[in-house]
Amino acid sequence: MAIRRILTVDNAADLAVLKQVSKDVPAVDDALRALMDDMLETMYDAPGIGLAAVQVGELVNVIVMDLAREGEEPAPRHFVNPKITWSSDELFAYEEGCLSVPDYYDAVERPSKVKLTYLNYQGEAVEEEAEELFAVCIQHEMDHLAGVLFIDHLSRLRRDRAISKVKKARRAA
Ligand code: ZN
């Protein structure tokens, strides 16, 4: 396993990759499992609760996540070729953050419940309903696969402010 570099919005080349649309993978094989292992290690190291493959520069429809709270056993999860099949009309606002937009948080409103299908780490097809933090996180990560960042849901003013804040913090560091 290896920790990969996480692409961030303050770097123009990184941002260009983060804006790209990822593709479905043909199968879950050992190479893909190795990528998912790297992604989880990278995510735990950051630390974060979700990571899309594009955030480490791989344009494939793969997401890893762990929503265990502090003190709980780790609960790593893998989503390959995820598709949202249903979204609730009811919305839910949550203060989101993103490893590609370090140290910036802002409220985004999304459907409070979704149903999704995906392949798991073993390549088995799974159908699942998500609510609360799981719903927020899976929609945030699936946005990444479509080249969309959570700050793209904000007004242009707030989005620009977020990016300049990240840039300033990076220069200071
Ligand atoms: Zn993110």
Side-chain angles (χ1 to χ4, degrees), residues 15-125:
L15 184 57
V17 175
L18 289 167
K19 295 259 110 200
Q20 292 190 46
V21 177
S22 295
K23 290 197 166 71
D24 274 353
V25 298
V28 180
D29 57 15
D30 285 346
L32 192 76
R33 276 187 278 268
L35 170 65
M36 291 193 277
D37 292 346
D38 282 357
M39 286 169 61
L40 267 175
E41 197 178 2
T42 304
M43 184 191 87
Y44 286 132
D45 178 68
I49 59 171
L51 191 72
V54 62
Q55 293 180 274
V56 294
E58 305 283 348
L59 292 166
V60 289
N61 286 332
V62 174
I63 291 165
V64 295
M65 194 182 291
D66 189 334
L67 302 177
R69 289 169 212 282
E70 227 176 294
E72 287 178 2
E73 283 290 303
R77 307 200 51 182
H78 313 78
F79 304 86
V80 178
N81 299 344
K83 303 278 176 294
I84 285 179
T85 57
W86 173 84
S87 306
S88 66
D89 292 331
E90 192 197 342
L91 302 176
F92 176 67
Y94 189 83
E95 190 94 346
E96 296 187 19
C98 180
L99 294 176
S100 293
V101 191
D103 301 316
Y104 184 83
Y105 300 89
D106 216 329
V108 176
E109 208 173 42
R110 302 179 186 273
S112 60
K113 284 184 192 173
V114 296
K115 282 182 186 158
L116 67 147
T117 60
Y118 60 93
L119 302 176
N120 65 14
Y121 193 76
Q122 281 74 35
E124 299 156 341

Side-chain angles (χ1 to χ4, degrees), residues 7-21 54 57 59 144 147 149 159:
L7 279 50
T8 55
V9 296
D10 53 302
N11 176 309
D14 284 2
L15 184 57
V17 175
L18 289 167
K19 295 259 110 200
Q20 292 190 46
V21 177
V54 62
L59 292 166
H144 276 299
L149 295 160
R159 183 183 180 280

Side-chain angles (χ1 to χ4, degrees), residues 122-163:
Q122 281 74 35
E124 299 156 341
V126 181
E127 197 172 349
E128 200 172 2
E129 192 168 322
E131 56 181 5
E132 300 178 338
L133 183 58
F134 181 23
V136 171
C137 196
I138 195 71
Q139 291 177 86
H140 174 118
E141 301 307 333
M142 287 188 64
D143 268 0
H144 276 299
L145 305 181
V148 176
L149 295 160
F150 85 97
I151 54 175
D152 294 333
H153 290 284
L154 309 174
S155 68
R156 183 164 193 122
L157 186 76
R158 292 176 82 86
R159 183 183 180 280
D160 292 347
R161 207 175 57 186
I163 292 181

